[in-house]
Amino acid sequence: MAEAGSGPAFDRMGAEVVGTRRGLFTLVLKTTTLSVLTLGVYSFWARTRVRRWLWSAMRLGGTPFEYVGQPLEKLMGFVIAAVIVAVYLGLVVMVLIFASLQIWLSPAPGIAASFALILPVYWFAQYRGMRYLLNHTRWRGIGFSMRPGAWRYSGLAIFWTILSAATLGLLWPVRTQRLWRFRAARAYYGDDHFRLTLRARDLIVPFVPVLAVLWGGAALAFFGGAIEDQDALVGLVMLAVPMLALAWLYWRVVSFRRLASSLAFAGAAGLSVAPRTGRVLGIHMGGWVLVGLLLIVGAIALFFGFVASFFGFVASLPALDLETLATASPATVFFAALLFYLTFFLGRGALRMVFVTFPLIRHVGETLTVQGAAEVNAVRAGEVRHMHDADGFANLFDLGAGV
């Protein structure tokens, strides 16, 4: 496969990511604090401010990207999506559990089927989240966009997921290529759309380590007798899980590199990107360790701060016991639980953005080049495809909170 980086140097555009983690950390610290104090309402404004910072930090050919999404769109989209999903899942779950009780005299099959029905909604939300981000991204004054197709995307994901499961994972690379191709064919920059030129068979080799760990572990468990020996089974799991994690990370990095580098656009234009597996692994390991440590420190500080504020005995904190905490009113306990919930999830997302997502963006940006600058410069503004309900469905599954 010929990658996009083979053209003359003068016909290429390089990318860069400016800004520092300190600047981003300061921003997310302010926005997360306001989100917690407003019980999550400000999170829609926080997400908008963070995206604008990130988009302006990403530059192609020296020109920054621009994010034009509005916080009120996110708020209204989230409310609408929450109501629709709650009604949909509520009715479906009731019907399935009722049918399960009538047929099998147990709610378990109905509950299992209810969880399975979340997956189509998840993939629906995933496509809409990506579509919203593209439809609200500008570069050089020309907008990106993506055509509707969330339900078709969800159906395609279901179809290839079932086939992948039926073939014990063998068709997973095909599934990945088909979903990328579907998204690329519906993505536009101005009046030109993207195309995926990579064949599915070019993704099979990077996926072999994943299959080797899965199939090898299953063979040892069933045919090697490990499934009958609890100690051997525990040891096998402890060995297979980190090996599978490494194999999966390798697959994700290599498949992303090949897929993204095969994106063609506007005739001769194309991309070339070269993230490294070792670097991505280091970012994830170091980033998540920092996130965990900061969350633990923050949770301890929040706990003692809450106790000191509501019980007023800072000097006697060492004598604190469960009996004393039991005297708190239900309203106090509810408020404390809500505060801890918001702090943990909003704080985790904010810290992930600073210590994991942003370093990954910077690493990929350092390796990104665009071939066919003349073709890109000739692009004209296309049809504006605005989404008034924003990415509310994606935010329900924490898809719209990222990039």
Side-chain angles (χ1 to χ4, degrees):
M1 176 191 66
E3 294 190 350
S6 59
F10 64 85
D11 200 30
R12 297 181 187 178
M13 287 189 293
E16 61 177 338
V17 179
V18 301
T20 63
R21 283 196 294 185
R22 176 180 295 182
L24 180 58
F25 182 79
T26 302
L27 175 61
V28 299
L29 182 63
K30 294 178 182 177
T31 56
T32 302
T33 302
L34 289 172
S35 298
V36 172
L37 293 177
T38 58
L39 303 182
V41 175
Y42 187 77
S43 63
F44 304 99
W45 280 261
R47 187 174 295 114
T48 302
R49 291 181 62 183
V50 171
R51 285 179 181 174
R52 287 175 180 170
W53 189 95
L54 285 172
W55 265 239
S56 64
M58 297 183 289
R59 301 184 178 184
L60 181 62
T63 304
F65 289 86
E66 181 185 3
Y67 178 72
V68 296
Q70 299 299 322
L72 282 177
E73 293 177 339
K74 296 176 180 59
L75 175 59
M76 295 305 299
F78 181 84
V79 172
I80 294 171
V83 172
I84 293 175
V85 171
V87 172
Y88 165 74
L89 292 182
L91 291 175
V92 170
V93 168
M94 288 176 58
V95 170
L96 289 175
I97 291 180
F98 177 78
S100 178
L101 288 171
Q102 296 298 314
I103 300 173
W104 291 285
L105 303 179
S106 171
I111 294 174
S114 301
F115 279 108
L117 286 177
I118 294 178
L119 287 176
V121 181
Y122 174 85
W123 287 314
F124 173 86
Q126 185 183 57
Y127 185 89
R128 288 184 63 83
M130 290 183 289
R131 182 175 170 234
Y132 178 79
L133 291 179
L134 274 180
N135 287 8
H136 292 81
T137 298
R138 304 285 185 270
W139 183 66
R140 292 184 173 178
I142 299 176
F144 291 83
S145 62
M146 180 178 278
R147 298 203 315 266
W151 283 119
R152 289 184 60 189
Y153 179 81
S154 180
L156 190 67
I158 293 171
F159 175 76
W160 282 106
T161 300
I162 293 174
L163 287 182
S164 298
T167 57
L168 302 180
L170 187 62
L171 289 181
W172 191 265
V174 181
R175 174 192 182 275
T176 303
Q177 189 266 353
R178 293 294 190 271
L179 294 181
W180 267 73
R181 188 176 67 179
F182 183 90
R183 296 193 301 262
R186 284 156 181 79
Y188 286 76
Y189 172 60
D191 57 353
D192 277 298
H193 69 87
F194 290 86
R195 302 180 307 280
L196 186 73
T197 60
L198 186 76
R199 297 168 298 183
R201 65 185 183 185
D202 295 323
L203 295 176
I204 294 177
V205 173
F207 196 66
V208 168
V210 177
L211 293 177
V213 175
L214 286 175
W215 292 358
L220 287 174
F222 286 97
F223 303 110
I227 198 170
E228 299 175 358
D229 186 339
Q230 185 175 0
D231 292 336
L233 184 60
V234 171
L236 178 62
V237 170
M238 292 181 64
L239 177 64
V241 168
M243 291 179 61
L244 181 61
L246 290 175
W248 183 257
L249 178 67
Y250 171 78
W251 150 253
R252 290 294 303 272
V253 174
V254 175
S255 63
F256 173 81
R257 180 169 65 231
R258 294 189 179 186
L259 287 161
S261 296
S262 72
L263 286 172
F265 168 78
L271 305 179
S272 175
V273 61
R276 300 184 301 275
T277 304
R279 178 61 178 153
V280 172
L281 176 62
I283 290 173
H284 273 286
M285 293 183 64
W288 283 113
V289 167
L290 284 174
V291 170
L293 290 175
L294 290 173
L295 282 178
I296 292 172
V297 172
I300 294 173
L302 183 63
F303 173 76
F304 283 107
F306 172 80
V307 171
S309 300
F310 278 85
F311 293 94
F313 53 88
V314 179
S316 61
L317 280 178
L320 184 66
D321 55 25
L322 294 176
E323 192 173 315
T324 305
L325 290 176
T327 62
S329 65
T332 300
V333 174
F334 173 78
F335 180 78
L338 179 63
L339 193 63
F340 273 102
Y341 175 84
L342 289 172
T343 302
F344 176 79
F345 283 100
L346 293 176
R348 180 190 63 85
L351 293 174
R352 179 190 63 187
M353 182 68 68
V354 175
F355 296 108
V356 180
T357 305
F358 180 64
L360 287 174
I361 292 174
R362 185 165 55 191
H363 172 57
V364 173
E366 291 171 351
T367 68
L368 173 65
T369 58
V370 175
Q371 177 194 351
E375 294 275 355
V376 176
N377 293 332
V379 172
R380 296 173 298 177
E383 178 184 354
V384 177
R385 296 177 173 88
H386 188 71
M387 292 176 63
H388 296 286
D389 56 346
D391 51 355
F393 284 93
N395 292 333
L396 286 175
F397 295 93
D398 197 31
L399 296 171
V403 179

